[in-house]
Amino acid sequence: MITLYGFGPGFGLPEISAYVTKTEVQLKMAGLAYVKQQAMPDHSPKGQLPYIDDGDAQVADSTFIRLHLEKTYGFDFDAVLDERQRAEAWAIERMIENHFNWASGYARWLIPENFAKGPAHFFDGAPENIRDALREDVRGRVADTMRIAGLARHTPEEITELGVRSLSALSMLLGWKPYLMGERPSGVDATAFAALAGLLTPFFDSPLRQHALEFSNLVAYVDRMMARYYPEHAWQRVEAVAA
């Protein structure tokens, strides 16, 4: 039995981390039995979630977990794709994870009202005399990481503009197909769904989320993926903005 370690539900989502969601959806896609446990990033061999225990193997990072599942269980997440589509799917994943997720994470962590209602509560169980210091320390470290990555060197308006460019690209690539690459889901859909749901959850608001609501095909895509892979979750259906 595979054990998936994640943060758990919250913020109107079945799992608060887009990267854990990606792995969980891929486990569902592969039809593999698993149990899920909450953990903290410092429990992971790479200091990040998700990671899995699979027999004697412990694998961290969602991309390497996928590779482990493919090699160990002989499941090809891209079986429905040709060679060009496989290359395109990889490029889309890199755009999402190395660019778009930073813009979405900025909205969650560095917009003060979103941080206060969301990530700040990660520290509610800490001793009261150090709770606020812990919150400010982690928020500062997230900001430093985003500056190193390059995103947080821009103004909030520029960050939103970059995020909208990625949303527009995803919308164009999806069109009115059920899934990003066609009529059947593939591995990249786990990545795209996780990222878009994390932005579209009504729990947080931001200029980037307001722009995302203008892409009705992306809104419908998230609803469709949520119904398929998390039918038990009470997703607050997001209404697209009428053009």
Side-chain angles (χ1 to χ4, degrees):
M1 177 71 73
I2 297 168
T3 301
L4 169 63
Y5 296 92
F7 291 96
F11 310 153
L13 298 162
E15 162 62 51
I16 65 174
S17 163
Y19 296 94
V20 178
T21 301
K22 167 190 170 183
T23 293
E24 186 165 30
V25 169
Q26 289 177 345
L27 285 166
K28 292 171 183 279
M29 285 179 170
L32 295 171
Y34 70 95
V35 294
K36 191 174 179 184
Q37 291 189 16
Q38 286 186 278
M40 295 301 292
D42 57 4
H43 298 163
S44 167
K46 291 187 177 180
Q48 62 184 25
L49 298 179
Y51 71 98
I52 63 168
D53 283 332
D54 185 13
D56 294 331
Q58 189 174 77
V59 186
D61 185 275
S62 62
T63 298
F64 285 100
I65 292 171
R66 171 181 170 169
L67 291 174
H68 169 82
L69 298 178
E70 290 178 324
K71 291 176 182 177
T72 304
Y73 297 97
F75 186 86
D76 184 357
F77 289 97
D78 291 344
V80 299
L81 307 184
D82 62 29
E83 289 303 311
R84 181 180 179 86
Q85 289 174 319
R86 287 173 184 264
E88 291 171 347
W90 175 251
I92 293 168
E93 285 201 33
R94 294 306 92 211
M95 178 187 73
I96 293 169
E97 294 192 341
N98 295 345
H99 182 269
F100 177 76
N101 279 357
W102 288 110
S104 183
Y106 177 92
R108 185 179 293 193
W109 282 88
L110 298 186
I111 293 178
E113 54 268 33
N114 284 343
F115 177 78
K117 70 184 294 190
H121 289 288
F122 296 161
F123 306 94
D124 286 351
E128 186 175 0
N129 62 318
I130 63 169
R131 193 178 302 153
D132 287 342
L134 287 173
R135 287 169 175 156
E136 288 308 307
D137 176 69
V138 74
R139 189 164 181 261
R141 285 190 282 117
V142 169
D144 288 343
T145 300
M146 289 189 177
R147 275 191 287 272
I148 292 169
L151 185 92
R153 299 178 187 275
H154 306 307
T155 67
E157 293 77 17
E158 289 171 334
I159 291 168
T160 299
E161 182 178 357
L162 292 173
V164 172
R165 290 286 298 273
S166 291
L167 287 169
S168 181
L170 285 171
S171 178
M172 183 63 67
L173 289 164
L174 175 63
W176 289 105
K177 303 186 300 294
Y179 303 102
L180 269 173
M181 308 306 295
E183 297 299 313
R184 295 169 60 188
S186 60
V188 68
D189 286 295
T191 304
F193 160 68
L196 291 168
L199 176 64
L200 284 171
T201 174
F203 188 88
F204 297 114
D205 198 15
S206 67
L208 184 57
R209 179 178 182 273
Q210 290 303 312
H211 282 289
L213 292 173
E214 298 170 2
F215 296 94
S216 58
N217 63 337
L218 296 182
V219 173
Y221 171 75
V222 170
D223 286 345
R224 183 162 54 251
M225 289 286 289
M226 191 70 75
R228 178 166 184 153
Y229 292 105
Y230 292 99
E232 74 287 352
H233 179 69
W235 173 242
Q236 184 177 340
R237 190 181 183 281
V238 180
E239 295 296 334
V241 174

